[in-house]
Amino acid sequence: MNGSEFLFLLTGLKWTVFLSAIGFVCGSVSGLGIALARTSGIRPLEQATAGYIALFQGTPLLMQLFVVYYGLALVGLKLDAWLSVAIGFTLHASAFLGEIWRGSIEAVPKGQTEAAKALSLGYVSRMRDVILPQAIKISLPATIGFLVQLIKGTSLAAIVGFTELARAGTIISNQTFKPLLVFGVVGALYFLICWPLSLYGGRLERRLAAASR
Amino acid sequence: MTDQATTSSAPMITMQGVNKWFGSFQVLTDINLSVRTGEKIVLCGPSGSGKSTLIRCINHLEPYQQGQIVVGGTRLIENAGIIDAIRREVGMVFQQFNLFPHLTVLENCVLAPMRSRGIARAEAEATARRLLDRVKILNQADKFPAQLSGGQQQRVAIARALCMEPKVMLFDEPTSALDPEMVKEVLDTMVGLAEDGMTMICVTHEMGFARQVADRVIFMASGAIVEEAAPQAFFSNPRHERTRKFLGEILPRH
Ligand SMILES: Nc1ncnc2c1ncn2[C@@H]1O[C@H](COP(=O)(O)OP(=O)(O)O)[C@@H](O)[C@H]1O
Ligand SMILES: [Mg+2]
C-alpha cells in the first residue's frame, strides 16, 4: 500500500467523520425536539414521537438508509448519495438520541420541576435552566455510547455508493490485493476515533455513579 | 410571640368548598379556609391526610376539581398567565429542599427573579445577598448545594423563595428531612420570618414552633379539616377525638 492509497483511506475517513458529525449534530437538534415532545404531557405529540422512536429502533439502520435513498427516488426526489445518507443518519440519530434524552429528562427528580414551577419559571426556562442541564449530564455516557455506534454505523453508507472509510478500504483492497493489511489499517483508524470516546464515556459513567452515591 | 397588629383583616388566601380527587380517591373534601394577611397557620395531621395536597393546590402544583381558591385577590383558574402570576406571589419550601444542584447558591437565588420577574442580574444578586445574609448563609453563596448540610440547604431554599418577594410562604414539612441538630436553625429562620410579618402556612409537626408563632393551628384528617383553634386552645383543649389521638401520638416526648 503506497502513500496515495493511504491518502485515499484518509479521505474516506474524512467522510466518515463528516457523516458522523452531520448525523450527530442534526440528529441532536431534532432528537432534542423529539425528547421534549415525548415528555410534553400532550398526548398526541407523545404518541406520535413514541411511534417514530419505535419505528427507528425496531428496524435495521441499513433498511432505513435504503428507504431514504430509494424511497425518495421513487417519489421523484433524486438526491445525492451523500445527502440522502446524511438525511438517513439524521433521522436514525434523532430517534435514538430522542429516546436517550427522554429517559434522562424523566430521570431528573420531580422535585426539580416542582421547585421551578413554584418559583413561577415558565416551560422554556424550566427546561433550559433547570431540567436539561441536569438531564444532559445524566445522558452523557449513553449519548457518547450512541455516537460510537453511529460512527461505526456509517460504514453501512457504502451500500448506496457513498465512499466513506469502509468503502475506501474495499476499493484499495481490490487494487492492492492486500485485504488483510488494508482492512487492518481501516480497523485501526475506526479504533483510533472510537476508543477514546468509549474511554471518555466510561469515565463519565463512573463519575456519575460516584456522584449519585 | 405573634404580633396581632401585623395581621390585617384582608384575606390573603381563601379556599371555598375545595374538593380534589386523585382518580376516584377523594384526597380533599370540602376545604374551607381563609388566611388573613400576616397570619401564620400551622397545618398538622396524620401522614396521608392531605396536608401537602392542600397547600400544593394554592400554587397550582396540584389542580383541584371543585370549589374556589383566591390568592391575593386573584381567583386561581386554569389559565397559564393567572397561575404564573399567583406563583410569583407565593413562595414554597419543600421537605427535600429541591435546590438546583447544578447551580451555585447565589445562582439558585437569582434565577427566578431574573427569568420570571425580569430583574437585572446586579439587582437580583444584591437582593439575593441580602436575603442569604438574613438566613445567615451569605458566606456560602458561591458553593453548590451538595457542599452544604441539610439545614444550610433548607435555609438557602427559604432565601431562594424570598428572593421573589412573595406575599405568602408555604412550608411543606421543612424540617422533616433534617438531622435533629439542624432542625433549630431552620425553625429559627422561620420564626424570624414570622416576626417580620410574613403570611405563612406551615405543614409541620414541630409543636413548639406552632405554640410560638401560629395564630391558628389546623388539624386535618382523611382530607378534611377536622379542627382549628388558636394554639393555646388547640393543645390544652382539643375538641375532637381524632385530634386528641393525634396529639397523644406526637406530644408525649416531653
Ligand atoms: N399524585 C398522587 N396520585 C395519587 N394519590 C396521591 C398523589 N399524591 C398524594 N396522593 C395520596 O393522597 C393522600 C394525601 O397525600 P398528601 O397530601 O401527600 O398527604 P400528607 O401531606 O398529609 O401526608 C395520600 O393518601 C396519598 O397517598
Ligand atoms: Mg406531606
Side-chain angles (χ1 to χ4, degrees):
Chain A
M1 193 168 57
N2 60 31
S4 80
E5 284 159 351
F6 183 68
L7 225 62
F8 188 73
L9 288 186
L10 287 186
T11 313
L13 175 67
K14 185 186 79 186
W15 284 107
T16 287
V17 170
F18 187 63
L19 190 55
S20 306
I22 294 246
F24 189 69
V25 171
C26 299
S28 291
V29 173
S30 32
L32 179 62
I34 285 166
L36 291 176
R38 193 75 182 81
T39 54
S40 63
I42 301 167
R43 241 338 188 29
L45 267 184
E46 291 190 355
Q47 285 170 341
T49 43
Y52 179 86
I53 290 167
L55 185 68
F56 279 88
Q57 288 200 332
T59 54
L61 174 56
L62 191 58
M63 294 300 120
Q64 296 162 17
L65 295 178
F66 270 149
V67 167
V68 173
Y69 188 67
Y70 295 111
L72 288 182
L74 214 63
V75 297
L77 257 175
K78 190 76 183 93
L79 297 179
D80 265 6
W82 88 265
L83 189 57
S84 105
V85 161
I87 292 174
F89 276 99
T90 297
L91 294 176
H92 177 78
S94 69
F96 278 78
L97 290 174
E99 179 65 3
I100 289 171
W101 294 341
R102 174 203 59 79
S104 314
I105 287 172
E106 286 174 354
V108 176
K110 264 188 85 187
Q112 294 289 304
T113 298
E114 292 181 351
K117 283 184 174 174
L119 285 163
S120 79
L121 292 175
Y123 177 80
V124 173
S125 170
R126 245 171 18 234
M127 279 298 161
R128 185 188 53 197
D129 299 322
V130 178
I131 305 301
L132 287 178
Q134 299 183 57
I136 286 172
K137 192 172 159 200
I138 294 170
S139 81
L140 271 182
T143 303
I144 291 172
F146 173 73
L147 175 59
V148 170
Q149 293 301 319
L150 190 71
I151 292 170
K152 291 189 286 191
T154 54
S155 61
L156 292 174
I159 210 83
V160 294
F162 184 85
T163 309
E164 41 60 67
L165 180 54
R167 189 169 141 90
T170 310
I171 293 169
I172 298 297
S173 153
N174 289 344
Q175 282 176 10
T176 58
F177 302 107
K178 285 180 187 148
L180 217 56
L181 171 67
V182 173
F183 283 111
V185 171
V186 165
L189 289 173
Y190 275 114
F191 187 81
L192 279 176
I193 299 182
C194 295
W195 177 241
L197 280 172
S198 295
L199 272 185
Y200 180 58
R203 219 178 64 198
L204 281 176
E205 191 164 357
R206 278 191 299 280
R207 200 190 300 165
L208 271 180
S212 69
R213 250 187 268 120
Chain B
M1 285 312 312
T2 307
D3 179 2
Q4 286 296 330
T6 61
T7 62
S8 86
S9 56
M12 178 63 79
I13 298 170
T14 56
M15 301 177 82
Q16 267 170 25
V18 171
N19 290 301
K20 174 176 173 62
W21 289 263
F22 283 121
S24 61
F25 170 67
Q26 184 159 12
V27 59
L28 293 179
T29 306
D30 193 29
I31 299 294
N32 291 289
L33 172 65
S34 177
V35 182
R36 296 187 307 279
T37 303
E39 198 175 14
K40 292 101 183 99
I41 306 282
V42 161
L43 189 56
C44 61
S47 171
S49 57
K51 308 178 294 292
S52 298
T53 306
L54 188 156
I55 63 168
R56 289 158 60 89
C57 283
I58 295 171
N59 63 353
H60 202 269
L61 287 186
E62 295 286 354
Y64 59 100
Q65 283 86 34
Q66 275 178 13
Q68 176 170 306
I69 298 179
V70 180
V71 182
T74 306
R75 182 157 166 220
L76 176 55
I77 54 172
E78 292 286 335
N79 169 296
I82 298 244
I83 291 169
D84 267 359
I86 285 177
R87 284 175 179 166
R88 276 195 285 274
E89 309 300 335
V90 179
M92 185 174 243
V93 174
F94 301 85
Q95 183 174 345
Q96 300 296 339
F97 328 138
N98 294 349
L99 292 176
F100 304 136
H102 58 300
L103 300 178
T104 64
V105 164
L106 190 68
E107 286 166 338
N108 263 276
C109 290
V110 300
L111 179 62
M114 288 174 64
R115 291 277 189 259
S116 167
R117 283 208 190 275
I119 292 172
R121 175 171 284 276
E123 189 189 338
E125 285 192 0
T127 305
R129 288 184 192 283
R130 179 168 55 77
L131 290 165
L132 287 170
D133 193 28
R134 175 168 164 185
V135 302
K136 302 192 174 63
I137 204 152
L138 181 56
N139 56 347
Q140 316 280 354
D142 295 320
K143 290 202 176 153
F144 286 91
Q147 297 171 286
L148 306 183
S149 73
Q152 290 174 320
Q153 289 191 51
Q154 194 60 298
R155 285 185 284 141
V156 171
I158 293 172
R160 177 177 71 175
L162 291 177
C163 282
M164 285 294 285
E165 308 193 323
K167 297 194 177 111
V168 187
M169 286 284 285
L170 307 173
F171 292 86
D172 193 355
E173 304 206 32
T175 58
S176 297
L178 295 176
D179 293 336
E181 71 271 17
M182 293 170 188
V183 169
K184 187 175 177 305
E185 66 188 63
V186 171
L187 288 180
D188 285 348
T189 307
M190 292 167 64
V191 170
L193 203 56
E195 283 167 351
D196 288 348
M198 178 62 78
T199 308
M200 296 163 63
I201 302 182
C202 310
V203 176
T204 181
H205 291 161
E206 294 293 335
M207 291 304 143
F209 173 81
R211 280 204 174 88
Q212 193 179 351
V213 308
D215 297 300
R216 265 188 295 160
V217 181
I218 295 179
F219 174 71
M220 277 182 84
S222 311
I225 293 178
V226 173
E227 177 158 355
E228 56 175 284
Q232 184 61 28
F234 182 82
F235 292 113
S236 59
N237 192 18
R239 290 188 307 261
H240 288 78
E241 178 53 35
R242 291 186 83 163
T243 318
R244 279 195 287 273
K245 184 164 171 289
F246 173 74
L247 287 176
E249 280 162 13
I250 65 163
L251 284 181
R253 282 186 238 121
H254 47 90

